[in-house]
Amino acid sequence: MSLTNYLTQSVIGAIIYFPIGLYLAPYCGYTVSLLIGLFTFTLQVRFCKWWLSKHKQGPLEFIWHKWTWIGTKK
């Protein structure tokens, strides 16, 4: 789940702080940014536990594994 977490954290951060999304960067101080980060972390941990209880690996790890082995027989 590390690849999935890394990319989703980057996307969530971009949506929250960059002009393409909510653009909260000029308005959030250090404390609010820390709280947003802790909230995002908590959501990711809960999602990981739920996902891994049903699947062997994360969704992006599954796709990466499939693309890595294109054209080979298992």
Side-chain angles (χ1 to χ4, degrees), residues 5-73:
N5 282 333
Y6 179 72
L7 291 178
T8 55
Q9 186 178 30
S10 298
V11 169
I12 290 169
I15 290 170
I16 292 172
Y17 293 111
F18 290 175
I20 60 167
L22 299 174
Y23 194 46
L24 295 178
Y27 309 106
C28 292
Y30 296 122
T31 306
V32 174
S33 295
L34 176 66
L35 293 174
I36 290 171
L38 291 173
F39 179 73
T40 303
F41 172 75
T42 304
L43 286 178
Q44 283 186 309
V45 168
R46 297 181 105 197
F47 175 74
C48 287
K49 287 182 179 182
W50 173 79
W51 185 270
L52 290 175
S53 71
K54 298 175 182 349
H55 304 283
K56 186 172 82 169
Q57 57 193 19
L60 294 178
E61 287 79 5
F62 175 78
I63 293 169
W64 188 0
H65 179 78
K66 290 293 181 189
W67 285 352
T68 299
W69 296 104
I70 288 177
T72 61
K73 293 182 182 182

